[in-house]
Amino acid sequence: MSTMPPGLDPYTLDRRLAQITARHGIQFIDALDAFKQGPPANKLFYVVDGHLNSAGHGVVSSVLVAQLEKEQSAALLGQNEAQRSAAPAHGR
């Protein structure tokens, strides 16, 4: 939409999920903005049921990979957070 109806905030759910995950020590990766940059929604979702199609999953996957690589996620290193915290820092 070029203009939002009064009182509608499309980022409310994202902000709330970020708050909840932070409170529980869970990493939150926000993919919402990637959908604004990509193709129209009718190219990313099944019109019949609103689920992501393969192109939509590609958008989400790209965001996840980029964020995990940026943060050098413990998951990419084959470690859980406890193992990563206990590991000595590089160069010591």
Side-chain angles (χ1 to χ4, degrees), residues 1-83:
M1 301 177 106
S2 57
T3 59
M4 290 290 151
L8 178 65
D9 181 1
Y11 293 95
T12 300
L13 179 61
D14 265 17
R15 281 194 303 272
R16 186 69 181 121
L17 288 172
Q19 292 169 349
I20 293 167
T21 57
R23 188 172 62 233
H24 295 282
I26 299 169
Q27 181 180 14
F28 176 73
I29 299 175
D30 186 358
L32 186 60
D33 283 334
F35 284 94
K36 289 181 7 182
Q37 309 302 321
N42 65 343
K43 304 289 185 195
L44 301 172
F45 296 86
Y46 291 113
V47 178
V48 174
D49 62 10
H51 286 89
L52 291 171
N53 61 23
S54 61
H57 281 286
V59 171
V60 173
S61 296
S62 295
V63 172
L64 293 174
V65 169
Q67 186 66 30
L68 291 170
E69 287 177 338
K70 176 181 164 189
E71 294 182 5
Q72 294 186 5
S73 169
L76 289 178
L77 298 173
Q79 301 172 330
N80 63 36
E81 286 299 323
Q83 290 169 318

